[in-house]
Amino acid sequence: MNAVAKQTNYYTIEDIYNLPNGQRAELIDGKLYMMAAPGRIHQRIVMELSFRIREYIGRNGGDCEVYLSPFAVFLNANDRIYLEPDISIICDKNKLTDEGCKGAPDWIIEVVSPSSRPMDYNKKLFKYRTAGVREYWIVDYERNLITVYNFEHDEMTDHTLKDKVKAGIYEDFEIDFEGISIE
């Protein structure tokens, strides 16, 4: 890390890029949050959800694109926020660059890991809402809970891992969580 960042405890995206190989972190308001490697169940859920979303988009001739972590999301124009959501769905291709997404994705899904719970439920929720993300899902398999925030309609709903959950950004798309094995 550069000397200025160490003295002030203020980090930038440059510090993210200077992390040792294999080490990942997110950056929120100049503070680094180190990321642990995701577990097997976490990865299974991410893969199943992303496959179902991508399949729906392709089947319906949609323009949105699905990206899995590690995929950089720069929520605003400053160098103090860098996130890697588990799943990012971006419908405005003008936001996509070789580095990642510049601006808010339309839909973000975070699958909770024990170490990420406070980030996903608090810090990221606030950042995603204020940056213009249209929809945010938190999938917490340990709590058997899916929390859906539809920011466009200022709605929040809770579901279980046995429910069919409707996506707010699409009129006719839902995901049947009972069909996703977490064993």
Side-chain angles (χ1 to χ4, degrees):
M1 307 289 161
N2 66 40
V4 173
K6 286 182 181 176
Q7 290 173 357
T8 63
N9 289 328
Y10 170 82
Y11 297 95
T12 68
I13 291 169
E14 180 180 334
D15 295 305
I16 291 282
Y17 291 140
N18 288 325
L19 289 172
N21 271 348
Q23 193 169 26
R24 292 178 45 218
E26 293 181 305
L27 180 69
I28 298 179
D29 296 330
K31 184 172 180 185
L32 277 179
Y33 296 89
M34 303 313 288
M35 298 173 69
R40 180 185 61 81
I41 294 171
H42 177 279
Q43 289 300 86
R44 177 182 281 169
I45 293 169
V46 168
M47 290 302 295
E48 285 287 334
L49 292 176
S50 61
F51 174 77
R52 292 165 193 233
I53 295 165
R54 181 67 203 123
E55 184 180 60
Y56 169 83
I57 292 168
R59 192 174 57 245
N60 290 283
D63 289 330
C64 301
E65 294 195 22
V66 180
Y67 292 93
L68 306 180
S69 181
F71 177 75
V73 171
F74 307 91
L75 285 180
N76 43 21
N78 69 39
D79 65 349
R80 297 176 54 204
I81 296 182
Y82 170 98
L83 298 169
E84 292 182 359
D86 290 317
I87 303 173
S88 300
I89 296 90
I90 298 110
C91 300
D92 180 354
K93 292 190 177 151
N94 291 321
K95 292 181 179 180
L96 296 172
T97 69
D98 287 341
E99 291 81 33
C101 178
K102 304 278 183 165
D106 293 272
W107 181 12
I108 289 178
I109 300 174
E110 295 281 11
V111 178
V112 174
S113 298
S115 62
S116 73
R117 187 169 277 116
M119 290 284 290
D120 295 337
Y121 280 103
N122 297 304
K123 291 185 186 307
K124 288 183 180 180
L125 170 63
F126 176 75
K127 291 300 177 186
Y128 292 154
R129 175 189 297 261
T130 57
V133 171
R134 295 167 53 198
E135 186 166 352
Y136 175 42
W137 289 19
I138 302 172
V139 179
D140 192 337
Y141 59 89
E142 287 186 350
R143 292 182 175 170
N144 186 32
L145 180 66
I146 302 143
T147 304
V148 174
Y149 294 92
N150 184 324
F151 297 135
E152 289 184 312
H153 297 103
D154 200 28
E155 297 173 348
M156 190 272 299
T157 56
D158 286 329
H159 308 272
T160 72
L161 294 174
K162 301 276 186 205
D163 293 338
K164 292 180 180 176
V165 181
K166 184 177 177 338
I169 70 168
Y170 298 112
E171 290 187 26
D172 61 345
F173 179 55
E174 65 183 12
I175 294 175
D176 184 356
F177 275 84
E178 191 165 31
I180 298 174
S181 172
I182 62 166
E183 301 301 319

